[in-house]
């Protein structure tokens, strides 16, 4: 049914009446508002100016744009998770609607690694990367935000035996799996990469960890009394795609550039990248209860590296 002009005007009047602002002022402003076009709406010129290579190698721009795309996709994932976790009561139907979106974004991240592995000159990359130190993908804070929104700190600690009942949130934050990659293995001191990251983001991460304590996506899922087979499979898919398949493809791409003749080049951030990127070592598991004990024991072993783990398609 078509809405009449009078109905539209009435709805506008009611909208601004609730806001305590005269509708006449807003309507008058509409007379002078500029028309919208594609390039201004998405800020095209600004977007295309955000690449600032540090060297003269043309493929460095590929490297920059790829990581900017990755951060935008991570923002899409975060947007969906935030919409779920800010609800006081989350239904199974909301999770079932949101999780396929999240999983499609993660599949996009997985498939995008072809840009990195096949899209840059090997020699050029291994030259210009030295100009980027100590910057590292390790410093992606959105990656850390997603972890804290999704699961408890305990599930982000590789060596569970280090956890005691007396640990504070601050203590647990120091035990997170990724912290180990920020220490120089020879001296035991924090790398510049980690020091920079903590200076900028440590307080934000600690605050988020406290806010999410008991209110993560995993906590929400645990409150669903009888999850459907579809919802269970979507949760498994999220965990598998984000915490096994994506880091495994990342590891393979890093190996392509950094490992030759059985020798490994150092990462720009100085981490033991093969150990850090390997999901078998990370053992980052967002939703432990959707996996069998055998699957948890064999987490990220070769049996996981095929999509048979996803027993039904993600719609």
């Amino acid at each position: 049914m078509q809405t009449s002009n009078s109905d539209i005007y009435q709805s506008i009047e009611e909208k601004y009446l609730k806001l305590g602002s005269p509708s006449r002022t807003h309507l008058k402003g509409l007379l002078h508002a500029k028309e919208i076009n594609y390039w201004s709406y998405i800020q095209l010129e600004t977007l295309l100016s955000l690449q600032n290579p540090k060297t003269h190698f043309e493929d460095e721009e590929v490297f920059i744009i790829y990581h900017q795309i990755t951060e935008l996709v991570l923002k899409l994932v975060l947007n969906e998770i935030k919409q779920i976790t800010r609800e006081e009561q989350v239904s199974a139907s909301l999770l079932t609607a949101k999780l396929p979106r999240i999983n499609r974004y993660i599949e996009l991240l997985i498939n995008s690694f072809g840009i990195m592995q096949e899209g840059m000159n090997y020699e050029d990359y291994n030259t210009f990367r030295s100009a980027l130190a100590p910057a590292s993908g390790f410093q992606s804070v959105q990656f850390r935000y997603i972890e804290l929104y999704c699961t408890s700190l305990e599930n982000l600690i590789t060596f569970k035996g280090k956890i005691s009942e007396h640990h504070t949130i601050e203590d647990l934050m120091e035990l997170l799996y990724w912290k180990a990659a920020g220490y120089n293995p020879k001296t035991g001191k924090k790398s510049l990469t980690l020091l920079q990251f903590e200076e900028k983001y440590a307080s934000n991460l600690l605050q988020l960890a406290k806010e999410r304590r008991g209110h993560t996506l995993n906590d929400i899922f645990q409150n669903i009394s009888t999850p459907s087979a579809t919802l269970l499979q979507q949760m498994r898919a999220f965990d598998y795609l984000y915490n096994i398949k994506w880091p495994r493809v990342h590891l393979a791409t890093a190996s392509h550039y950094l490992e030759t003749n059985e020798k490994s080049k150092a990462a720009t951030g100085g981490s033991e990248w093969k150990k850090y990127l390997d999901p078998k070592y990370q053992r980052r598991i967002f939703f432990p209860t959707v996996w069998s004990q055998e699957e948890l024991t064999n987490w990220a072993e070769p049996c996981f590296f095929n999509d048979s783990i996803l027993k039904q398609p993600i719609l």
Side-chain angles (χ1 to χ4, degrees), residues 14-25:
E14 291 173 356
K15 172 184 176 178
Y16 289 107
L17 183 63
K18 290 178 181 178
L19 295 173
S21 181
S23 60
R24 179 181 177 85
T25 301

Side-chain angles (χ1 to χ4, degrees), residues 48-61:
L48 298 181
S49 71
L50 294 177
Q51 294 74 49
N52 183 26
K54 302 303 179 185
T55 71
H56 297 292
F57 292 97
E58 292 184 356
D59 280 354
E60 188 188 347
E61 191 162 69

Side-chain angles (χ1 to χ4, degrees), residues 253-268:
T253 303
S255 298
H256 171 73
Y257 287 104
L258 302 181
E259 192 168 42
T260 56
N261 299 324
E262 299 182 355
K263 293 182 179 179
S264 297
K265 301 180 180 72
T268 52

Side-chain angles (χ1 to χ4, degrees), residues 259-288:
E259 192 168 42
T260 56
N261 299 324
E262 299 182 355
K263 293 182 179 179
S264 297
K265 301 180 180 72
T268 52
S271 69
E272 296 182 88
W273 59 269
K274 284 195 292 185
K275 187 176 181 181
Y276 168 65
L277 293 176
D278 194 332
K280 288 193 298 182
Y281 173 77
Q282 292 178 347
R283 289 198 60 82
R284 187 178 65 235
I285 306 172
F286 288 166
F287 317 117

Side-chain angles (χ1 to χ4, degrees), residues 131-150:
L132 309 182
S136 168
F138 173 93
Q139 295 175 321
S140 171
V141 73
Q142 288 197 110
F143 197 91
R144 308 302 167 207
Y145 289 157
I146 289 171
E147 293 174 342
L148 295 178
Y149 268 103
C150 281

Side-chain angles (χ1 to χ4, degrees), residues 40-53:
S40 62
Y41 180 65
I42 69 162
Q43 295 291 291
L44 181 61
E45 281 75 16
T46 300
L47 182 63
L48 298 181
S49 71
L50 294 177
Q51 294 74 49
N52 183 26

